[in-house]
């Protein structure tokens, strides 16, 4: 009975954690797919998203309340604001390098620079302190046998699934989505078709950044506290998730995030060795996985990188 | 005297550090097929890339129906009605045949019109209809060339720049592609055709230019070029 309880409870925890990883991994993978850049600032956009959501909740909380309505508004505003911030970063920092056909390494170092700029700005603005995200979401929920699943958990998993479905539709069905996939394959051929490549890359940054912001807002609400450095670790983990899934692949990023989240929570329950070993367990498995499938689960050596 | 669709005036361009075009001047009259001949590295592809905006012009001008488009961005030139089908076809191998065509019509604002044009391309190339759900990379060389031309026809361009459409294709397929180019031309599309296969190109074109190391060294009616001793020796295997 208690083992069943633990497994089910951890499955839910893993699913939530994995949802956050997946949402962040998507942006990593999309940007890599389209311009082959490892955007190390991506985790910081998640962090900024959490703070924008927190700020919005503070401002609008008086009117909309700090329940679902207020949180939904904070989520949308944060997605929009951080999406625009992602576009600004692309325009100001990355596109000039792309125009000059700069070496890939310069782009990567620029990304590290953007990351430091973002999290240090937030650090100064918040004095490096933790902020508590107050909401009126309780712990009520439904019972699955001995396990309680809160409505908050259900809503978050459903919201993540909806965002992913929307993304899938956008990439597969709209002209801009098709253009993104085409640019990943051959940007010059796209120019010859009248596609504004720079603008489409900007749009990719918008979409990827706003997904990270959504994860940031949800994580803030779920865990109840946020801090300027929260993007660093999740950035690395989401990058890991994207690589496990096969970087450049969108379904791969979704899958990689979920696998990473589930492995991590499973790692906290290992018998005999204790939860302190969870990262050793998780990343040990990942190293093994990549030894046997270096391109990631859904990656091919020459795949459509979107 | 018919209208001139495309005029290059003393066009110069660099490809990397190479001075690839050293002052090219040529004219493509509306409704005609004009061919640009020359050996490997003569600057044929660079000429097309400079016209379509992929390579910046160092000096000189490109005029499209009297409008100076020398500094125009590649993606804006498409909307004016000038389409470049690049060397090696450059279809999107992991996208479906249909998606490739849809992207050819990216600048069309109307989804219905885009669907209609896809249908029109399928009428032109029935084989593409059969393969519309396959990814572009699974097509044969000839089918890929048809897809590349079909993709270009999505916007119903006034002028088509074709770079080596016969490259790597079997003689029978080359004939089919040339027949299609002729058909498009007879329906009103002006064509600037770059070819290494001079025999085929001179049969199709009304007028030809010969390019050597970035300069026009000869030009004239195709019938005259076909009989020119130097052309026969250098390009027609005589």
């Amino acid at each position: 009975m208690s083992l069943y309880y633990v497994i089910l409870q951890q499955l839910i925890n893993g699913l939530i954690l994995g949802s956050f990883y997946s949402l962040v991994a998507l942006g990593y993978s999309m940007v890599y797919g389209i311009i082959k850049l490892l955007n190390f600032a991506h985790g910081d956009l998640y962090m900024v998203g959490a703070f924008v959501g927190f700020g919005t909740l503070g401002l609008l909380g008086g009117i909309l309340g700090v329940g679902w309505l207020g949180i939904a508004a904070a989520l949308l505003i944060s997605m929009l604001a951080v999406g625009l911030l992602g576009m600004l970063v692309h325009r100001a920092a990355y596109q000039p390098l792309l125009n000059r056909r700069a070496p890939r390494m310069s782009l990567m170092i620029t990304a590290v620079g953007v990351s430091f700029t973002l999290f240090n700005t937030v650090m100064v603005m918040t004095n490096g302190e933790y902020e508590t995200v107050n909401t009126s979401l309780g712990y009520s929920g439904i019972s699955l046998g001995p396990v309680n699943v809160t409505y908050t958990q259900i809503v978050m998993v459903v919201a993540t699934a909806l965002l992913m479905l929307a993304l899938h539709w956008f990439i597969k069905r709209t002209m801009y989505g098709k253009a993104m996939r085409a640019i990943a394959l051959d940007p010059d051929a796209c120019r010859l078709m009248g596609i504004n490549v720079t603008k489409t890359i900007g749009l990719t940054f918008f979409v990827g950044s706003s997904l990270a912001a959504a994860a940031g807002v949800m994580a803030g609400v779920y865990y109840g506290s946020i801090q300027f450095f929260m993007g660093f670790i999740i950035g690395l983990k989401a990058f890991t998730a994207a690589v496990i899934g096969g970087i450049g692949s969108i379904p791969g990023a979704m899958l990689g995030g979920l696998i990473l989240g589930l492995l991590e929570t499973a790692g906290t329950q290992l018998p005999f060795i204790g939860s302190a070993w969870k990262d050793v367990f998780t990343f040990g498995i990942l190293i093994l996985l990549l030894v046997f499938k270096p391109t990631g689960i859904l990656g091919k050596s020459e795949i459509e990188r979107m | 005297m018919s209208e001139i669709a495309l005029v290059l005036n003393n066009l110069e361009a660099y490809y990397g550090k190479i001075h690839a075009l050293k002052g090219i001047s040529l004219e493509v009259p509306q409704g005609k097929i004009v061919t640009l001949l020359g050996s490997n590295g003569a600057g044929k592809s660079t000429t097309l890339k400079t016209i379509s905006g992929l390579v910046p012009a160092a000096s000189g001008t490109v005029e499209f129906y009297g409008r100076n488009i020398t500094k125009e961005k590649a993606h804006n030139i498409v909307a004016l009605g000038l389409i470049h089908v690049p060397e090696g076809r450059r279809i999107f191998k992991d996208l479906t045949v249909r998606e490739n065509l849809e992207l050819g019509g990216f600048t069309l604002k109307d989804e219905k019109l885009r669907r209609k044009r896809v249908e029109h391309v399928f009428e032109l190339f029935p084989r593409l209809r059969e393969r519309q759900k396959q990814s572009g990379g699974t097509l044969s060389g000839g089918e890929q060339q048809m897809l590349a031309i079909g993709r270009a026809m999505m916007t119903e361009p006034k002028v088509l720049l074709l770079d080596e459409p016969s490259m790597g294709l079997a003689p029978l397929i080359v004939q089919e592609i040339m027949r299609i180019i002729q058909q498009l031309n007879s329906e009103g599309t002006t064509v600037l055709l770059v070819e290494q296969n001079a025999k085929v190109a001179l049969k199709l074109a009304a007028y030809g230019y010969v390019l050597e190391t970035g300069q026009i060294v000869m030009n004239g009616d195709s019938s005259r070029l076909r009989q020119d001793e130097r052309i026969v020796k250098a390009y027609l295997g005589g």
Side-chain angles (χ1 to χ4, degrees):
Chain A
M1 188 63 174
S2 78
L3 183 66
Y4 167 70
Y5 168 84
V6 167
I7 289 176
L8 205 57
Q9 190 64 60
Q10 292 310 320
L11 213 60
I12 291 160
N13 291 344
L15 206 59
I16 298 268
L17 187 63
S19 296
F20 297 154
Y21 287 158
S22 291
L23 283 175
V24 183
L26 280 167
Y28 247 118
S29 222
M30 288 173 75
V31 166
Y32 182 82
I34 202 161
I35 54 172
K36 308 288 174 282
L37 162 70
L38 297 176
N39 184 15
F40 286 121
H42 192 61
D44 299 287
L45 291 168
Y46 158 91
M47 176 273 295
V48 173
F51 274 93
V52 173
F54 168 74
T56 312
L57 209 54
L59 285 174
L60 294 181
I63 310 161
L64 299 174
V66 288
W68 284 118
L69 187 63
I71 292 169
L75 185 87
L76 289 178
I77 288 172
S78 176
M79 284 177 76
L80 182 68
V82 175
L84 291 173
L85 177 65
M87 279 175 100
L88 177 74
V89 166
H90 160 244
R91 229 4 121 82
Y94 301 143
Q95 190 59 42
L97 293 177
L98 292 171
N99 289 343
R100 291 178 178 77
R101 296 181 190 273
R104 194 93 56 87
M105 202 55 83
S106 310
L107 267 167
M108 233 164 76
I109 295 303
T110 301
V112 173
V114 172
S115 167
F116 274 71
T117 308
L118 287 175
F119 81 70
N120 278 288
T121 303
V122 174
M123 182 186 78
V124 174
M125 286 170 71
T126 60
N127 294 321
E129 282 167 12
Y130 281 86
E131 304 283 355
T132 307
V133 183
N134 290 312
T135 66
S136 60
L137 304 181
Y139 292 94
S140 59
I142 51 172
S143 298
L144 290 175
V147 182
N148 253 334
V149 185
T150 66
Y151 290 129
T152 307
Q153 289 172 322
I154 294 171
V155 169
M156 286 194 175
V157 172
V158 170
T160 304
L162 286 178
L163 284 171
M164 289 184 182
L165 278 176
L167 178 71
H168 183 79
W169 173 83
F170 174 74
I171 294 285
K172 285 286 175 196
R173 294 269 173 257
T174 68
M175 283 315 290
Y176 271 103
K178 289 171 193 176
M180 284 176 188
R181 283 151 61 210
I183 292 172
L185 295 167
D186 190 341
D188 270 348
C190 289
R191 286 189 181 92
L192 295 180
M193 249 138 272
I195 297 167
N196 186 335
V197 170
T198 305
K199 193 173 141 194
T200 311
I201 293 171
L203 187 64
T204 310
F205 270 88
F206 180 90
V207 174
S209 307
S210 62
L211 290 176
V217 174
M218 289 200 277
V221 167
Y222 187 66
Y223 297 116
S225 94
I226 60 178
Q227 190 238 6
F228 73 94
F229 211 59
M230 67 190 276
F232 179 74
I233 293 294
I234 198 162
L236 281 181
K237 297 246 170 108
F239 175 45
T240 308
V243 173
I244 300 171
I247 192 152
S249 155
I250 282 182
M254 299 178 187
L255 187 65
L258 287 179
I259 290 176
L260 187 61
L262 289 169
L263 275 179
E264 261 192 53
T265 44
T268 61
Q269 302 300 318
L270 290 178
F272 310 123
I273 61 175
S275 67
W277 288 83
K278 74 181 167 71
D279 282 349
V280 178
F281 168 77
T282 308
F283 286 91
I285 288 184
L286 297 181
I287 290 170
L288 272 181
L289 193 146
L290 289 177
V291 165
F292 289 108
K293 189 100 171 54
T295 51
I297 297 168
L298 297 182
K300 301 176 211 148
S301 49
E302 280 292 326
I303 54 163
E304 173 190 337
R305 297 271 176 209
M306 276 301 270
Chain B
M1 181 82 190
S2 66
E3 198 179 354
I4 307 296
L6 189 66
V7 182
L8 310 191
N9 262 322
N10 215 9
L11 193 66
E12 294 199 39
Y14 288 81
Y15 200 73
K17 283 188 176 156
I18 302 159
H19 194 183
L21 306 185
K22 300 167 184 163
I24 306 267
S25 297
L26 62 78
E27 290 185 354
V28 183
Q30 141 114 9
K32 295 279 193 282
I33 300 179
V34 170
T35 185
L36 189 56
L37 305 173
S39 52
N40 248 338
K44 303 184 303 284
S45 291
T46 308
T47 305
L48 295 195
K49 283 180 185 166
T50 313
I51 297 171
S52 62
L54 283 186
V55 170
S59 68
T61 58
V62 180
E63 278 171 41
F64 183 64
Y65 285 99
R67 172 176 175 166
N68 187 342
I69 59 163
T70 320
K71 299 237 181 305
E72 202 64 72
K73 292 207 162 97
H75 62 259
N76 293 330
I77 289 175
V78 171
L80 300 175
L82 177 66
I83 302 275
H84 175 187
V85 181
E87 186 180 355
R89 335 196 211 288
R90 306 279 284 266
I91 59 160
F92 304 116
K93 294 199 161 83
D94 293 342
L95 269 58
T96 66
V97 167
R98 194 183 187 93
E99 285 172 333
N100 267 277
L101 292 176
E102 287 168 344
L103 283 165
F106 185 83
T107 54
L108 303 174
K109 293 280 164 278
D110 183 7
E111 184 62 42
K112 254 189 223 148
L113 181 62
R114 193 177 294 122
R115 227 172 293 150
K116 216 174 92 188
R117 295 274 173 87
V118 170
E119 277 307 305
H120 185 232
V121 172
F122 285 158
E123 276 158 30
L124 215 57
F125 305 103
R127 246 187 293 176
L128 294 183
R129 188 200 299 276
E130 292 164 28
R131 306 206 183 322
Q132 58 173 305
K133 287 192 179 137
Q134 279 174 236
S135 62
T138 62
L139 300 185
S140 71
E143 288 164 348
Q144 290 193 8
Q145 188 61 60
M146 290 175 197
L147 180 55
I149 294 176
R151 193 172 63 173
M153 292 313 292
M154 284 292 293
T155 50
E156 298 195 342
K158 298 188 189 111
V159 175
L160 206 51
L161 311 176
L162 294 174
D163 197 347
E164 305 262 10
S166 76
M167 195 169 69
L169 301 182
L172 265 176
I173 313 285
V174 172
Q175 276 185 17
E176 195 177 344
I177 298 288
M178 294 301 149
R179 184 191 57 75
I180 289 158
I181 295 171
Q182 190 139 46
Q183 186 190 336
L184 294 175
N185 176 247
S186 68
E187 287 167 9
T189 314
T190 306
V191 178
L192 177 55
L193 175 66
V194 157
E195 261 302 338
Q196 277 201 59
N197 189 340
K199 205 171 178 176
V200 165
L202 285 173
K203 224 185 272 174
L204 208 60
Y207 201 86
Y209 290 85
V210 180
L211 201 58
E212 258 171 40
T213 58
Q215 282 169 313
I216 305 279
V217 292
M218 206 185 297
N219 61 77
D221 290 332
S222 294
S223 52
R224 197 172 67 75
L225 289 179
R226 262 201 302 265
Q227 276 145 27
D228 190 289
E229 235 172 72
R230 287 163 295 175
I231 299 279
V232 172
K233 246 195 186 142
Y235 305 108
L236 298 177

